């Protein structure tokens, strides 16, 4: 049983930056994959970025070079640094934690999500 709390979302202008944080608590397996997914209105959920327990990363092509995922194992926290944000990045961003690699949306624990809105 894992609890995930996202933070850092908000309203930002195109070209701006945000840093999302997700703090995990509860029963967490030693070997976990942490990731960020997003869901835009009318669209299916998609994987944005994921990071394994040993630092292996995977990014969606649409965010590669703009977003950076990292984790602090001591704090059980995963971060998503987002730069050069565009309106298409507008979505609810969800944190996910699961056992194993690669990240799979059909399994794992989810946070409540944090809204990211990119608009002028």
């Amino acid at each position: 049983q894992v609890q995930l709390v996202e933070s850092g979302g908000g309203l930002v202008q195109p070209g701006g930056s945000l840093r999302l944080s997700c703090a995990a608590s509860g029963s967490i397996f030693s070997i976990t994959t942490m990731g960020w997914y997003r869901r835009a209105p009318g669209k299916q959920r998609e994987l944005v970025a994921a990071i394994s327990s040993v630092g292996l990363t995977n990014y969606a092509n649409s965010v590669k070079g703009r977003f950076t995922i990292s984790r602090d194992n001591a704090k059980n926290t995963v971060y998503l640094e987002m730069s050069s944000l565009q309106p298409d990045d507008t979505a609810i961003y969800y944190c996910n934690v699961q056992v194993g690699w690669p990240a799979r949306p059909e399994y794992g624990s989810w946070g409540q999500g944090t809204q990211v809105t990119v608009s002028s």
Side-chain angles (χ1 to χ4, degrees):
Q1 194 168 347
V2 179
Q3 295 80 46
L4 302 173
V5 180
E6 301 102 332
S7 62
L11 175 64
V12 64
Q13 297 182 17
S17 301
L18 285 173
R19 186 173 93 154
L20 305 184
S21 299
C22 173
S25 62
S27 58
I28 304 175
F29 290 104
S30 179
I31 301 177
T32 61
T33 290
M34 307 184 78
W36 290 95
Y37 294 75
R38 66 185 181 186
R39 191 197 307 274
K43 297 183 179 180
Q44 60 185 303
R45 179 180 57 197
E46 65 174 345
L47 175 67
V48 178
I51 184 168
S52 75
S53 61
V54 295
L56 185 66
T57 59
N58 181 253
Y59 295 92
N61 288 333
S62 60
V63 307
K64 192 173 299 183
R66 299 189 297 121
F67 292 9
T68 301
I69 189 170
S70 62
R71 64 190 293 166
D72 185 332
N73 290 329
K75 297 181 178 179
N76 292 323
T77 300
V78 62
Y79 305 94
L80 186 67
E81 303 274 1
M82 304 185 294
S83 299
S84 301
L85 285 163
Q86 303 299 317
D88 285 348
D89 295 316
T90 296
I92 301 176
Y93 285 70
Y94 297 91
C95 180
N96 173 274
V97 177
Q98 67 171 73
V99 176
W101 179 265
R104 299 185 183 278
E106 68 272 14
Y107 189 75
S109 298
W110 295 91
Q112 294 299 308
T114 184
Q115 177 72 48
V116 173
T117 302
V118 184
S119 176
S120 298

